[in-house]
Amino acid sequence: MPELEPLEPERGVQLYLKHRADDCADSTLNAHRLRLKHLLQWCEERDITNLNELTGRRLHEYRLWRTEEGDLNRVSVRTQMSTLRAFLDFCAQIDAVEMGLKETVDVPELDEGENARSVHIDNDHAEQILSKLAKYEYASLRHVLILLLWKTGVRTGTVRSINVDDVDSDDGYIEVRHRPEYGTPLKNKSSGERFIAISDETGRILTDWIEDQHPDTEDEHGQTPLLATRYGRISRSNIRKNSYWVTRPQFVGEECQCEVEDHPYDEVHQCEDAVSPHALRRGSITHHLRSEVPRPVVSERANVSGGVLEKHYDQTSLEEQMNLRREHLDNI
């Protein structure tokens, strides 16, 4: 067995991230960076300056520390420990830790359905965000984007596909169409086509955006996208960045857990409390259900099957579900 070569924890993480850069999406790489940041903190607090010093017992201590320090549930512990195992596997390959050390890391098994993500924005937080946007960025691209994501609960690809001509503010609806030939397909193809009702208020904001602030640009297919920049149709990365920006706690005057005063716009995805557009979709669907909108209506509006709706999107508790059912059973 080859002798171990000394390697500082921070340098080890740098090498690992460079190693993974070619086969990971940027979002995955950033997630690994954030998770391993806690390992570096733990090593620094214990004066561990050489990865050679890691043992099974020390890694068990780290797992207990990370779980308590982060107040993590089983799903989060599994995610954190899986990244740690991948890092240790790489370190073993470069003779920085003992071969097989990763096997000492306890990665918890999850029960069926336990691994469904539960990150979502609640209604109070969403209304805070929309209130600030209405006050300081009224009828802007960002305001319209977040408004649509929250009020309709649609997917990122769907909100991106909407053209100006698809909006009928007078009759209060948006037509969603599957147009792969124009670069705007829907996830469920033609079965995802539908009309989505919008309120008078949402219609007014869309009208003000279209008439006063829309850049009047077309995309490469000659379509006029509703969510347009001066370069054309908004990109998926732009949608994600805007979601991260408004959901970071500082946007509504609170502090995040990242121990920084605020995040630069180009690095806002690194905020541990900022969330992706999918969290807005999940929160919107949950809010619809809590508002006693029937499940079939929510299912059709969000274009998601009943089974997927229940497993991945419905964040209502069992007690809430009972009370919602009770409303329909009072006379039985």
Side-chain angles (χ1 to χ4, degrees), residues 311-323:
K311 180 176 180 181
H312 293 282
Y313 293 101
D314 185 2
Q315 300 302 313
T316 57
S317 67
L318 293 177
E319 183 177 0
E320 285 178 310
Q321 293 172 27
M322 175 196 69
N323 288 330

Side-chain angles (χ1 to χ4, degrees), residues 285-286 288-289 293-304 309:
I285 290 174
T286 298
H288 277 74
L289 293 171
V293 178
R295 282 174 177 265
V297 174
V298 178
S299 178
E300 291 179 12
R301 182 176 176 85
N303 191 227
V304 59
L309 178 72

Side-chain angles (χ1 to χ4, degrees), residues 1-9 11-12 15 49-53 91-98:
M1 181 178 296
E3 292 187 7
L4 297 182
E5 298 181 14
L7 183 64
E8 295 179 351
R11 178 57 177 162
L15 292 174
T49 58
N50 185 353
L51 290 173
N52 297 174
E53 301 173 33
C91 290
Q93 295 176 35
I94 60 173
D95 300 327
V97 301
E98 294 286 352

Side-chain angles (χ1 to χ4, degrees), residues 12 32 50 59-60 71 88 112 162 190 192 197-198 206 209 242 246 260-261 263 293 296 319:
H32 282 232
N50 185 353
L59 291 174
H60 178 68
D71 191 23
L88 293 173
E112 183 178 355
I162 300 169
S190 59
I198 57 175
L206 295 185
W209 157 248
N242 274 287
V246 301
V260 297
E261 184 174 344
H263 296 270
V293 178
E319 183 177 0

Side-chain angles (χ1 to χ4, degrees), residues 147-148 151-152 168-174 196-207 301:
L147 178 73
L148 288 176
K151 295 296 184 180
T152 67
D168 191 326
S169 296
D170 292 333
D171 289 334
Y173 69 84
I174 297 172
I196 299 178
I198 57 175
S199 67
D200 291 342
E201 180 185 7
T202 296
R204 283 195 298 272
I205 294 172
L206 295 185
T207 298
R301 182 176 176 85

